[in-house]
Amino acid sequence: MARRMDHLGLRTAMADRLLPVLVAAMSFLAALAIAGTLAAASLAAQWNHDTGIDLTVQVPEPGDNAVGGSTPREQAVYDILAKSPQVQAPHVLSAAEINNLLRPWLGADVASLGMPVPAVITAQWVGSGSPDGLRTALDAVAPGTLAETGERWAARVAALTASLQASALSVLLIVALVAVAVVAVATRAGLAQRREAVEIIHGLGALDSDIASRFARRATMLTAIGSLLGTACALPVLFWLANLAAPFSGVVANTAWPVLPPVLWLILPTIPLMAAAIGWVTTQQTVRGWLRRLK
Amino acid sequence: MVRFDDVWLQYHRSSGAVGTESPAIISHMSFEIPQGGFRWLTGTSGAGKTSVLKLMYLAEQPSRGKIELLGTNAASMERREAALLRRRIGVVFQDFRLLEHLSAFDNVALPMRLARRTEGQVKSDVTELLHWVGLAGKMERRPAELSGGEQQRVAIARAVVNRPKLFLADEPTGNLDDAQADRLMMLIIGLNKMGTTVVVATHSKRLVAEYPAPRLEIARGMLALDESLVWGR
């Protein structure tokens, strides 16, 4: 069987330490950036969902009559909410529940302060968009009634998520560019060290593609190994971060070990593949460019 | 066939005014060597013999004029075409140009492996050739472990292993004793008889006298004498 000859002596020219270590560091950062992007997207989706559907209605002077009738304002508002197909599970907070809500600010017994406390009705908003129509209907029977969903917070969370994702993608892009630069520099160093051998092989009739492929095979192997190591080293850190984020995600509360999102398990193996691709393409381009100086 | 038609070789200056050129290394060079021809390339040191050989193995492109090598116009060749043409040209350099990290066997095998010959054929041909040049017991030695003469024989074996159509040698007997030089000349003449065009640059008057063939005499970068016309081939 034909043995794979190292005609150009690349085993010594392209060192098997520096390039893999640098690529491992790049891959480590890439794994963290990807995990950060996914985590931000996942938390944002969850928070959007939670805050977007909670509907809180405050009815001032709940015992007064509603407009155009003798029904108390609180009851009139509740009736509208109960009949609306876009509202589910309306619930009038009891005095004790309101007390619990306000205790941190107003003390143990809110009623004893003699303050005008509005009635509070909570519900789930299942309509699309903001509940402007509902607000108008409620205000018509009980002027001054406030109906709020978490849409404003949802918008802020979305903006925060977008900026986090943009940062993570910028990190990924920078990591990829640095990886390209590292591979190009390593290849140029290898070419400088093996210049005479390359010129001899070129003179013997080696095609540019032959020479470039020999360098590219070596670089691809080194980048793939480095990237595998870097990605593997990132795993414990990702588990640790997942553990820290567990209370916010609410996904892993019942497991002894933190769980990484399944999509992350699909994406992490692509990091060594991407690194190998960067190694191959960059080396090919660098060597072919260098060879053009030879006649 | 090798044909030079008013060939010039001139380098652009790396610094200084744009467009300035250094003096011509080769100028007004025209000659023709038919397929299967043999030519001595003679001249004093610095006359331009190595430059003429470089033009023949495509290490340099002429600044002016036209070169035809083995039926191909050297100026209009793509890189791939030039590489494939180089495989049909065997060259022995003055400084041998062996790969230091490879054994004698692997150095000689290199042109065959680049041409994607089978390992069986490589082993058979290279072993036979190294036997022929007297290096049967030193096939696994690296160049640094060989004497100058042995390195030269490795370089010669590498140049002929692919049975080239054009064989070029720059002082191939410089490090050989007379017996080894004669042995080498027998090999070169054998190649020539099989149809390989041969050009050998040499200072050795003994070789030129003992192996008579037309001379191309170079002086100051120009062709001072072409004996082809005298020899009639």
Side-chain angles (χ1 to χ4, degrees):
Chain A
M1 198 174 90
R3 57 187 166 151
R4 174 60 54 83
M5 284 296 304
D6 184 21
H7 294 148
L8 293 167
L10 296 180
R11 284 189 196 107
T12 50
M14 289 185 83
D16 55 3
R17 289 193 183 87
L18 187 59
L19 182 58
V21 166
L22 291 173
V23 173
M26 299 294 109
S27 300
F28 183 89
L29 291 174
L32 294 189
I34 289 171
T37 309
L38 290 176
S42 163
L43 288 175
Q46 190 175 338
W47 290 346
N48 263 335
H49 183 259
D50 291 348
T51 55
I53 64 171
D54 282 347
L55 176 66
T56 305
V57 180
Q58 294 179 49
V59 188
E61 298 163 354
D64 291 0
N65 288 340
V67 175
S70 57
T71 313
R73 285 160 54 97
E74 177 187 341
Q75 186 61 45
V77 167
Y78 181 85
D79 290 345
I80 289 173
L81 293 174
K83 285 175 189 166
S84 169
Q86 296 171 311
V87 176
Q88 287 180 353
H91 166 66
V92 179
L93 295 193
S94 65
E97 286 172 317
I98 291 177
N99 225 25
N100 279 339
L101 271 179
L102 298 179
R103 183 176 292 143
W105 292 276
L106 301 178
D109 188 3
V110 177
S112 67
L113 298 175
M115 290 178 65
V117 177
V120 177
I121 304 170
T122 62
Q124 302 286 298
W125 173 252
V126 295
S128 58
S130 61
D132 289 338
L134 180 68
R135 285 190 185 110
T136 308
L138 296 180
D139 200 56
V141 296
T145 296
L146 295 173
E148 288 183 341
T149 62
E151 59 185 329
R152 200 167 47 175
W153 282 106
R156 288 176 181 174
V157 167
L160 176 65
T161 307
S163 68
L164 282 175
Q165 286 179 319
S167 301
L169 288 173
S170 302
V171 169
L172 272 180
L173 183 65
I174 290 167
V175 162
L177 290 175
V178 171
V180 166
V182 163
V183 172
V185 168
T187 305
R188 285 198 158 272
L191 281 165
Q193 208 176 331
R194 283 289 175 265
R195 180 190 178 103
E196 192 181 355
V198 172
E199 286 175 352
I200 290 171
I201 294 213
H202 172 79
L204 290 173
L207 301 173
D208 289 359
S209 58
D210 286 339
I211 298 170
S213 295
R214 283 176 196 280
F215 273 90
R217 270 197 293 270
R218 176 82 182 154
T220 302
M221 188 190 71
L222 294 178
T223 50
I225 289 172
S227 185
L228 272 172
L229 289 174
T231 308
C233 287
L235 279 176
V237 179
L238 293 178
F239 277 119
W240 176 64
L241 290 174
N243 195 28
L244 287 181
F248 303 100
S249 66
V251 175
V252 294
N254 297 326
T255 59
W257 290 88
V259 175
L260 297 180
V263 67
L264 190 57
W265 286 114
L266 291 176
I267 291 176
L268 285 180
T270 65
I271 294 176
L273 293 177
M274 287 301 295
I278 285 174
W280 176 267
V281 173
T282 305
T283 310
Q284 284 271 352
Q285 294 303 315
T286 306
V287 175
R288 284 170 187 264
W290 189 90
L291 286 172
R292 274 186 216 114
R293 73 181 63 182
L294 301 179
K295 299 279 194 301
Chain B
M1 184 175 76
V2 177
R3 179 187 292 149
F4 275 44
D5 186 4
D6 190 26
V7 169
W8 289 59
L9 179 62
Q10 206 164 5
Y11 296 113
H12 288 275
R13 288 185 199 279
S14 55
S15 59
V18 176
T20 58
E21 292 178 335
S22 52
I25 296 165
I26 300 291
S27 61
H28 303 293
M29 183 79 69
S30 297
F31 60 83
E32 183 177 324
I33 308 172
Q35 186 58 40
F38 189 119
R39 295 291 182 275
W40 292 111
L41 195 59
T42 58
T44 55
S45 291
K49 300 191 296 294
T50 300
S51 296
V52 171
L53 290 178
K54 278 185 174 178
L55 288 164
M56 285 189 194
Y57 61 76
L58 304 169
E60 297 288 357
Q61 287 285 331
S63 317
R64 261 190 274 170
K66 185 180 163 188
I67 296 177
E68 190 182 326
L69 292 170
L70 304 176
T72 313
N73 181 0
S76 61
M77 260 184 286
E78 298 290 326
R79 287 183 68 80
R80 181 184 171 80
E81 205 180 345
L84 295 177
L85 182 59
R86 281 192 192 98
R87 293 183 187 177
R88 298 165 66 199
I89 302 173
V91 188
V92 180
F93 301 93
Q94 242 173 334
D95 56 354
F96 320 139
R97 309 199 75 185
L98 299 175
L99 293 176
E100 293 297 324
H101 59 282
L102 296 184
S103 66
F105 181 96
D106 287 330
N107 264 290
V108 177
L110 203 47
M112 294 188 78
R113 286 184 172 138
L114 287 174
R116 302 218 189 329
R117 302 282 165 78
T118 63
E119 273 307 294
Q121 194 182 353
V122 168
K123 192 172 180 184
S124 147
D125 288 7
V126 173
T127 304
E128 186 186 334
L129 202 50
L130 284 172
H131 268 93
W132 200 89
V133 295
L135 291 172
K138 299 182 177 180
M139 286 197 282
E140 292 309 317
R141 299 229 183 138
R142 296 190 178 191
E145 299 166 327
L146 298 172
S147 69
E150 288 169 337
Q151 288 184 42
Q152 193 151 28
R153 280 182 273 161
V154 173
I156 288 160
R158 185 181 65 183
V160 301
V161 73
N162 256 351
R163 296 177 182 85
K165 287 290 175 197
L166 174 61
F167 177 86
L168 308 171
D170 198 355
E171 300 288 356
T173 60
N175 287 289
L176 304 180
D177 57 33
D178 283 355
Q180 285 175 333
D182 288 334
R183 198 174 167 81
L184 168 64
M185 283 312 300
M186 294 310 293
L187 171 67
I188 294 175
I189 288 167
L191 261 181
N192 183 235
K193 281 183 178 166
M194 286 191 290
T196 299
T197 306
V198 173
V199 181
V200 179
T202 186
H203 280 112
S204 171
K205 289 177 179 166
R206 183 188 78 82
L207 280 183
V208 177
E210 290 191 14
Y211 300 93
R215 278 192 310 138
L216 296 170
E217 173 85 16
I218 311 291
R220 292 193 297 277
M222 289 187 281
L223 186 62
L225 173 70
D226 182 356
E227 290 184 346
S228 311
L229 305 173
V230 180
W231 283 67
R233 68 182 179 99

